[in-house]
Amino acid sequence: MGLPVPPMKLRLLLALVLLCASCSAQALDSFSLEAGHGSHETNMAGVGLQWQGHTKWFEHTNWHIAHYLELTLGGWNAEEDTVYDLGFTPVFRFVRSRGQPYFEAAIGFHVLSDLDFKDGVQTSTHFQFGDHIGAGIVYGRYDWSVRLRHLSNAGIRNPNPGINFLQLRLQYSLD
């Protein structure tokens, strides 16, 4: 018995992630793993790729603002169905220095593989906005953080139940 073939939407999402990763592989700065639990009794897991920005604001002070771009692929599981989520998010981080705590905030774009993620819970659009706030600490090449993420279509169309996740995240720097 062979492995099941993923649905066409999932294959397209995976192809897009591989294309983006291969186009910018030289500039890739880090990758991450995340897991969490969300509203509607939904669990999630995902992976991410990050590209650091070169501009930092307020560097002459003890704290500065840095930014990076994040490409994520994750899955949510509520009951027996899994919804795949491809996200692209610019992230802004308020940080002191390596090894010190930081705070971050972001608003990005997500595409969902399915509109139904649990019996009786349905979004009306595959396109979603995703925002998060988080806090963490960098220790060597490891970046440990906690994030509160919210996804919704911002009222583009109803129903718009939105979903919130509390996530634990580990990021590993390649430099």
Side-chain angles (χ1 to χ4, degrees):
M1 184 170 178
L3 293 173
V5 176
M8 181 58 125
K9 292 176 188 174
L10 176 58
R11 287 184 282 181
L12 290 173
L13 287 175
L14 290 172
L16 181 60
V17 167
L18 291 175
L19 177 65
C20 290
S22 67
C23 291
S24 300
Q26 298 85 358
L28 181 66
D29 293 303
S30 58
F31 65 90
S32 61
L33 302 172
E34 56 191 29
H37 184 73
S39 48
H40 312 291
E41 298 178 18
T42 304
N43 295 312
M44 66 79 57
V47 296
L49 303 174
Q50 294 81 30
W51 292 267
Q52 296 296 324
H54 298 290
T55 304
K56 293 179 182 172
W57 297 279
F58 311 109
E59 277 189 285
H60 59 282
T61 64
N62 288 337
W63 288 83
H64 66 271
I65 299 172
H67 66 94
Y68 63 92
L69 298 175
E70 182 169 61
L71 180 67
T72 57
L73 178 64
W76 318 340
N77 191 311
E79 299 168 351
E80 70 279 349
D81 295 328
T82 300
V83 173
Y84 296 96
D85 170 12
L86 177 66
F88 180 74
T89 307
V91 181
F92 294 90
R93 185 176 278 189
F94 187 60
V95 63
R96 186 168 185 172
S97 64
R98 292 184 77 81
Q100 299 295 325
Y102 65 83
F103 305 96
E104 66 180 26
I107 298 176
F109 309 100
H110 293 254
V111 178
L112 305 181
S113 65
D114 200 347
L115 298 178
D116 297 311
F117 57 92
K118 186 176 179 181
D119 288 340
V121 182
Q122 179 182 31
T123 74
S124 55
T125 61
H126 290 280
F127 175 80
Q128 301 281 301
F129 292 99
D131 54 59
H132 77 257
I133 56 171
I137 189 164
V138 176
Y139 184 76
R141 291 181 176 232
Y142 297 95
D143 179 334
W144 301 88
S145 64
V146 175
R147 285 180 171 177
L148 180 58
R149 175 174 281 165
H150 173 76
L151 289 145
S152 77
N153 69 22
I156 294 171
R157 188 179 303 154
N158 287 322
N160 181 27
I163 188 164
N164 299 311
F165 291 105
L166 180 60
Q167 300 173 317
L168 296 176
R169 186 171 174 273
L170 172 61
Q171 182 175 324
Y172 181 78
S173 177
L174 300 173
D175 61 2

